[in-house]
Amino acid sequence: MKRPLPRHSRRHAALVMLLAAAAAAAAPADPRWPVLRPADGNAPLPGTGPLGLTGDVSRLLVETNDRFLDQRVAAVSAERAARWQQEAASGLDPAAAAAAHRARLRRRLGIGRDPQAASPEFEFHGAHKEGPLAAGPGVRVHAVRWPAFGDVHGDGLLIEPDGADGTPVADLVLLPDADQPPEDLAGLAAAAPAASAHALRLARAGCRVLVPGLVARTINAHKMTDREWLHRPAFELGRHLLGYEIQKAISGVDALLASQGASRRKVGIAGWGEGGLIALYAAALDERIGAALVSGYFGPREALWMEPAEHTVFGLLAEFGDAEIASLVAPRPLALESGCAPDFAFRPGPDGGIERLDRPAALNGKPGRFHRPSADAVAAETARLRRLVGDRGPIASCTSARPFGDAAVAALLEGLGAPRPAGGATSPDGAPAGPAVDPARIAANRAARVAEIERHNRAVLVDSAAEREAYFRDLKTGSLAEFRATIEPYRERFRTEVIGDFEVPLAPPNPRSRPFQAGPATLSYEVVLDVMPGTLAYGILTLPAGLDPARGPRRPVVVCQHGLEGTPRDVVGEAKHGAYAAFATRLAERGYVTFAPQNGYLGHDLFRLQQFKAQSIGRTLFSIIVAQHRQITDWLASLPFVDPDRIAFYGLSYGGKTAMRVPPLVGRYGLTICSGDFNEWVWKNAATDARSLRYSYASRQEYEIFEWDLGGTFNYAEMAALICPRPFMVERGHFDGVAPDEAVAAEFAKVRRLYQARLGIGDRCAIEWFAGPHAIHGVGTGEFLDRHLRPDAPLR
């Protein structure tokens, strides 16, 4: 406890404070910051209504975005269910319809982007290449691996029946949960209960059983699970960890079929938890799989955003729920087992939810929980499945407190034409004899799975530039007219396939405003507009002093965009946000009208989880932001003091990220400046080598930053092509930690080549390098704005 100051000390301290305050009042104002004060009165901007909102309007915008996304997820899911029911009742050929759905599901999972192993065969490996790892009673256990795709292999255990005639009655891929090593299912792990030795039961029932290993949920040095660590770059590159593991399972089916010899028999698949997910998808995609068992996974999927990051499949819910995916298994037998989902959560929250913090978290990964639906929810999803399938295929619905219960296994084996195992679910009849399983070997196998996919992701990153070049092969640059015509299909793909568009008409803007602050040369208003139903746009409009808001004259506008966790106040003049250099106010002092909008990347987990809600239905945070900027620019263009043909965008950091995504889709932006963000964006997101991690988001807390398949479509040079032929500029500080100068220069060189070498409009493209950090510099950019926005300089 602090002791009170003596009376004379208190008098001295008060005197010091008084003198300091007087000195501060007498000192000249810091010239770096505009002198601003609250504006007088409460009269709104002419032509707008009064703004009566109280509290934090920036936070309100984020919260309304969240509610809008919840509504859109529900609406998209309802539309999907109705569309599938109509298809089922339409008389269309079910096989043809299913083939089309399978093709689209493969694309969403990135399957087919990498060459699948042509003729995979089992390779017996480890310390027991010449013989079984363990044997008896009635089984032989081998450590195996097999080629899957690229240079990636599947690995696990192959358990063969060792009966009288030695010929299996069926082959089976049995997938454990992610945190279960294959040895658990083979009865070889000392710590595993005997009841988990499901592969032994099935082998003793006459099945040859392949138990692949999955990537575990180990929390690594990057403060996330190994599964999320591999998912992040794969997602950016148009691949998917789930797709990788599905391909491993399907290649395992290939290897089983290739090793059957003359005895042709059915191949089935079964899985629990994460393995249940892989089994469901693999059975839906591969018609050679004769029967499937999905344990601890099936249920409604509308809360996909609450699941682990690697469950996110871009646009999944627009076409598929679990019922729709399971319907693709028909007419083959399918057993669904509920009541036994894994109890896994990363960053768990209260009441069985996930952590949602309004501050940085201790861990870097996305909060996520493996979905454990109620019995009623599973029943409802199963009923949807039965309505879709009708009488086209047998569906067994079972409940069990443990995975692979007797009823589910019996249904699977019946579908494969194999006998029911003797002894029931809890009687594996003794473990095979062999050396004790070394925990270090299990850990080494897990590390090898991670390392192999890491190497594959890195190779795909290297190849991604060629993928983008092939993607843009139809772009013509022989003339400006030819370029304008051929860039439009790419803009449409960017709108619908990368950013996503809700296709919801904008509401009347219903502008409301109130005075905010005034300076010697400026006057600002807070403004709120309606956008899509239930959403709003909010920002600060700043006018040069003396400009008549009722009559003008018309001035050019610069929309000044804040960065991550920012607000409009940051860019108009709060000294604690020094990186912005009050650029919205400074530009108004130069004679521009400025508008500083609130973008929705505020609130840490709140906004980051919104990205996953949006991605589940094929949209992104920028789907909302684009709509807000369309409304903002349309409203600005309607004002009597704004020149509607001279509206520019200038953003720093996440505002620079906005500069690369919004102006391509908002036609009223006639000029764009990207500050503190332009770089080799695909590399920045997908690079995982030690040297690149200084810059890469792959290991950072921005778990929402990853966008589906930018690697194969749009890096920053390609996004800039969507802005072209409008003027485009990059502002770059040499000491900005976003990326090294070399990465910025190399990517910008592609933009410069388009503008100058191909189209002959090099005067519309510029970069300013300055000796400074991640900040607004405002020198070259001011000159660029003046050159292109003055009345005698046409923008188009």
Side-chain angles (χ1 to χ4, degrees), residues 720-731:
L722 300 178
I723 294 170
C724 183
R726 294 168 287 174
F728 174 73
M729 183 175 183
V730 170
E731 184 175 51

Side-chain angles (χ1 to χ4, degrees), residues 84-111:
W84 277 72
Q85 279 300 136
Q86 290 168 3
E87 180 183 286
S90 67
L92 290 174
D93 176 16
H101 288 301
R102 289 189 188 101
R104 289 191 290 272
L105 182 57
R106 287 188 185 96
R107 285 198 296 273
R108 293 186 191 280
L109 294 164
I111 295 174

